[in-house]
Amino acid sequence: GTGLGELHLEAEYKLTSKLLARVAGSAERLVLFAMTIGNVFDARLSPYKEEGKISEAFALDAAGTAFITKASMAALSRLEEMYHKVGLNTTFPLGPGHSYWPRLEDLQIMFNLLKPERIGLHLTESNLIMPRKSVAMVMGVGRNLPESHEQTHCNFCSIRATCQLSQAGQKNLDN
């Protein structure tokens, strides 16, 4: 069910995003998704930072962002195809931590349901996902979903013009 800007799940859980409630409020189910590059990336990046190799650190960081973005888009695309084959529609995926969904505490709910520690993910005390190059998203699945008209969550984000994730995702769509 939905409240004002809330999506109520089973077992008293609720996710608090007006955009999620609008986009996926009529969904029959929600798919929660998490993916990570893993700790190896952070371990590889640290020496560059420590040695003051700023341009190398920046380039590797950007490459990690592009990789996790494209990998998660590819995985979500496969999920969408699977649902479409059985006659179900999907929403575009959304994730806490973006301007359209600022409540990072919702990641705790997602982690309680997903149990992503199995793939090495955990939350810091301030609800940031670790390892750094990781994503957690929600996608609605159902028959009577609002038309998204090829939109992505980036269409609703306030930092779209300067965001590496948005630019990496756009490049993926262009190629």
Side-chain angles (χ1 to χ4, degrees):
T2 61
L4 189 62
E6 297 176 342
L7 200 58
H8 293 264
L9 313 175
E10 58 192 36
E12 302 301 313
Y13 288 122
K14 68 179 177 183
L15 299 173
T16 309
S17 163
K18 288 179 184 172
L19 182 60
L20 178 66
R22 191 173 92 215
V23 170
S26 58
E28 295 166 29
R29 65 186 75 154
L30 290 180
V31 174
L32 285 83
F33 172 88
M35 178 182 271
T36 184
I37 290 179
N39 287 317
V40 174
F41 183 83
D42 290 340
R44 184 85 168 103
L45 188 61
S46 290
Y48 288 128
K49 289 181 174 180
E50 290 164 11
E51 295 166 20
K53 296 181 176 177
I54 304 303
S55 58
E56 288 90 341
F58 180 81
L60 185 58
D61 190 71
T65 297
F67 183 86
I68 192 66
T69 301
K70 290 188 178 206
S72 61
M73 287 174 72
L76 287 163
S77 181
R78 282 196 193 148
L79 280 172
E80 289 170 357
E81 285 175 28
M82 182 185 78
Y83 285 113
H84 293 171
K85 281 181 183 173
V86 295
L88 294 170
N89 296 322
T90 55
T91 69
F92 53 85
L94 298 118
H98 299 275
S99 65
Y100 60 78
W101 190 348
R103 195 179 132 77
L104 283 176
E105 291 83 358
D106 283 358
L107 283 168
Q108 293 174 15
I109 294 163
M110 291 176 66
F111 273 51
N112 283 336
L113 295 168
L114 267 177
K115 311 283 187 242
E117 59 275 3
R118 294 174 294 177
I119 61 168
L121 288 177
H122 68 277
L123 292 175
T124 66
E125 283 185 23
S126 55
N127 294 308
L128 297 175
I129 302 174
M130 297 303 285
R132 287 184 334 101
K133 298 302 179 190
S134 304
V135 295
M137 303 190 99
V138 178
M139 183 170 67
V141 177
R143 298 194 193 305
N144 298 308
L145 298 175
E147 291 292 322
S148 64
H149 302 294
E150 302 302 316
Q151 291 177 317
T152 72
H153 73 125
C154 295
N155 292 94
F156 301 91
C157 187
S158 65
I159 63 164
R160 182 179 184 193
T162 58
C163 176
Q164 285 183 352
L165 286 170
S166 178
Q167 291 165 2
Q170 191 57 48
K171 287 181 182 125
N172 188 51
L173 294 173
D174 294 341
N175 290 335

